[in-house]
Amino acid sequence: MSSTNGHSQSSNGASVPTHPLIISNKPHTTTHSFPVYSPATGKLVHHFSSASIADADAALSSAQAAQPKWKTLPPAKKRDIFLKAAEIIESRREELSTYMVDETGAAAPWAAFNLNLATEILRDVAGRVSSISGSVPQTATEGLSALVLKEPYGVILAIAPWNAPYILGIRAVIYALAAGNTVILKAPEFSPLCSTGIVTTLHQAGLPSGVLNLLAHRPEDAASITKHLISSPIIKKVNFTGSTAVGKIIAELSGKNLKPVLLELGGKAPAIIWEDADLDLAAQECAVGSFLHSGQICMSTERIILHEKIADEFEEKFKQAAAKFAPEGTDPPVLINSAGVAKNQRLLKDAVEKGATILHGNHEEGKGTKMMPVIVKGTKKGMDLFYTESFGPTVSVMRVSSEEEALELANDTEYGLSAAVFTKNLQTGFRMAKGIESGAVHINGMTVHDESNLPHGGMKASGFGRFGAIGLEEWVRTKTVTFKD
């Protein structure tokens, strides 16, 4: 379905706006648009402009023209823009939160967390802008000196997802901008107005024309627009956060065009609960880690590996924690669409038919886009749930008797983004953390953990490259200059 620009009528007769793209800091209207519906209510929220190849070219030209001047803008001026943007987010908090709740079905606390961390990222990066530096190494040739320079790539393509639109959208653009690159942000089809909020905030803060442009498109245009952007000689590097399946496509396109790419992809995060763990803490952390935002977080806890000595006790405490997190009789948590609910029900049905048991919840319940948390016990190889990322409110509990078995089980996945270990013995925790193949391991904390001053990224099928504290290094390339004394 597409609409013309302007306003159309929703099911209740109210006028629904069509929001534009943003190119060269100005609204950019298009021939076609696509509808965005609320997953919580099913109502039409708005239409959003859909980019054509010509619109993509306009964004490319805008970013390319703006890059030389942005590259040379003093770090202090970039810093002031980012700090001002953080202030503007605070002043627009209610508006931006509403965008996220309406477009993604997020609970208000999750939207608030997104906005809080987005402002932290802006302020953290503002403080790091002047940290980029090269070096003056010694050379092996007498009478020859050298400089090693760090320079921005040029124009960056940033592709961010809907599930944490402010955190992941800000992250996708701000490190590249801080390093002197210009950026085209490709908005997710489910939450393009959240992306608009990011871009307009930075423009309000003083970001010059063309430094950050916003594109979005209809789902059916995804392949052609993405291929065109990555193939363009104007794009010098790509970052993508999203599913591993799409990440492989992005990596293939980037590889064919010899473009470096940063990928932060899916996960199947394990949490190991050891025999000496604080079980009350572990149960609470695992409940939040498993079911926050309906499990629609790449770092969500998907597998809980229990030492057999405490398994029975933990399972009871975990059921209680899950029941408190989403009490019976309340509205079930919302997923982005009905396909997410159907996927989780299909995974659970397959597991139960092959011998798993439901410890908490009802695997057959779930209507439309809503589904209560489910804990499944006895997930094993041969069940689809064992290896497949559920990306929903589903978590498996498994039992082991040794540390070797726990690590083998934790690593028996293609993914490696986040993990957790619960133990009162820090030596045990460090040893396990070193043994787990994951971009991050959190001792006595849940798998869902992200903060601006820490590197963030995965290994294996969870991707490569890092956002976060070392993020500026991702967006500069090294140039050697020699000169005779």
Side-chain angles (χ1 to χ4, degrees):
M1 174 182 176
S2 66
S3 73
T4 57
N5 285 290
H7 286 72
S8 61
Q9 299 294 312
S10 66
S11 58
N12 62 7
S15 181
V16 176
T18 298
H19 297 283
L21 309 179
I22 303 175
I23 298 176
S24 297
N25 293 34
K26 297 177 182 178
H28 183 92
T29 58
T30 59
T31 303
H32 297 286
S33 63
F34 59 93
V36 177
Y37 295 93
S38 165
T41 66
K43 294 180 180 179
L44 177 65
V45 179
H46 57 77
H47 290 273
F48 206 89
S49 295
S50 179
S52 64
I53 296 296
D55 299 319
D57 284 339
L60 287 165
S61 296
S62 176
Q64 183 181 40
Q67 204 274 324
K69 190 173 182 181
W70 176 249
K71 172 184 175 180
T72 58
L73 190 72
K77 292 189 176 181
K78 293 186 176 78
R79 176 201 64 201
D80 291 345
I81 291 171
F82 300 157
L83 291 175
K84 181 64 174 177
E87 292 177 6
I88 292 171
I89 286 180
E90 295 289 0
S91 69
R92 296 179 62 184
R93 174 175 286 271
E94 185 176 350
E95 169 201 356
L96 297 175
S97 177
T98 299
Y99 293 168
M100 184 172 167
V101 171
D102 287 348
E103 287 190 318
T104 71
W110 178 240
F113 176 78
N114 258 253
L115 292 168
N116 290 342
L117 186 51
T119 56
E120 285 184 27
I121 292 171
L122 283 165
R123 292 185 176 116
D124 183 76
V125 173
R128 298 178 189 273
V129 171
S130 60
S131 67
I132 298 173
S133 60
S135 61
V136 184
Q138 295 291 321
T139 67
T141 304
E142 186 176 351
L144 187 74
S145 295
L147 301 173
V148 177
L149 308 178
K150 298 289 186 177
E151 297 183 339
Y153 281 87
V155 180
I156 304 300
L157 174 61
I159 309 174
W162 55 267
N163 57 321
Y166 294 121
I167 297 171
L168 303 182
I170 286 285
R171 189 184 74 176
V173 304
I174 201 65
Y175 295 103
L177 290 173
N181 303 279
T182 54
V183 179
I184 295 173
L185 174 61
K186 197 164 80 71
E189 65 191 72
F190 294 121
S191 60
L193 198 53
C194 292
S195 300
T196 298
I198 291 170
V199 173
T200 56
T201 291
L202 282 159
H203 288 170
Q204 283 179 261
L207 202 67
S209 176
V211 172
L212 176 60
N213 300 280
L214 177 68
L215 293 180
H217 52 67
R218 299 174 297 186
E220 59 264 35
D221 296 331
S224 61
I225 296 294
T226 304
K227 182 178 180 180
H228 182 76
L229 289 167
I230 295 176
S231 300
S232 169
I234 294 174
I235 294 295
K236 299 297 192 254
K237 187 170 180 176
V238 179
N239 76 67
F240 171 79
T241 302
S243 70
T244 296
V246 177
K248 290 179 179 179
I249 297 171
I250 300 297
E252 183 179 7
L253 286 170
S254 300
K256 284 181 177 179
N257 290 279
L258 294 179
K259 305 287 177 70
V261 59
L262 189 167
L263 299 173
E264 201 256 81
L265 308 175
K268 190 75 177 172
I272 299 174
I273 319 298
W274 213 232
E275 58 182 316
D276 63 344
D278 180 333
L279 299 186
D280 291 318
L281 171 67
Q284 177 61 32
E285 293 286 303
C286 286
V288 179
S290 300
F291 307 128
L292 182 64
H293 196 35
S294 302
Q296 298 173 119
I297 304 171
C298 51
M299 298 173 282
S300 291
T301 307
E302 295 245 354
R303 298 171 296 147
I304 300 176
I305 300 167
L306 307 174
H307 192 287
E308 59 184 7
K309 290 182 179 179
I310 50 84
D312 290 339
E313 185 180 357
F314 175 83
E315 286 173 1
E316 288 304 312
K317 290 179 180 293
F318 188 42
K319 287 193 294 183
Q320 294 171 18
K324 290 180 181 178
F325 190 87
E328 286 188 27
T330 60
D331 285 340
V334 177
L335 277 72
I336 191 65
N337 54 31
S338 58
V341 173
K343 174 185 177 181
N344 276 262
Q345 289 178 321
R346 184 173 64 252
L347 291 172
L348 289 164
K349 183 175 184 290
D350 174 76
V352 170
E353 288 177 348
K354 293 176 180 176
T357 58
I358 300 299
L359 194 64
H360 173 80
N362 186 333
H363 69 289
E364 296 179 340
E365 287 184 353
K367 185 176 181 181
T369 60
K370 298 179 180 181
M371 180 178 177
M372 293 293 279
V374 176
I375 304 170
V376 60
K377 181 179 178 179
T379 306
K380 298 177 181 178
K381 291 183 181 181
M383 301 174 183
D384 293 341
L385 184 59
F386 188 85
Y387 286 119
T388 303
E389 180 186 22
S390 71
F391 210 65
T394 298
V395 64
S396 300
V397 294
M398 311 166 180
R399 299 187 178 201
V400 297
S401 58
S402 69
E403 188 173 320
E404 293 73 20
E405 190 181 358
L407 291 174
E408 181 180 0
L409 188 54
N411 291 330
D412 191 6
T413 172
E414 65 175 326
Y415 299 106
L417 183 59
S418 186
V421 177
F422 290 87
T423 174
K424 292 178 181 176
N425 187 321
L426 197 55
Q427 186 178 34
T428 300
F430 277 132
R431 188 170 61 247
M432 287 190 175
K434 291 175 69 174
I436 297 173
E437 298 167 348
S438 180
V441 180
H442 306 289
I443 300 173
N444 294 324
M446 63 176 155
T447 57
V448 179
H449 188 110
D450 192 9
E451 53 185 280
S452 59
N453 62 321
L454 296 176
H456 182 78
M459 57 180 66
K460 302 194 291 188
S462 290
F464 42 78
R466 292 293 182 269
F467 291 104
I470 61 171
L472 296 186
E473 286 295 319
E474 285 280 356
W475 302 106
V476 290
R477 52 190 174 187
T478 302
K479 177 186 286 184
T480 299
V481 177
T482 66
F483 57 95
K484 292 184 178 179
D485 298 335

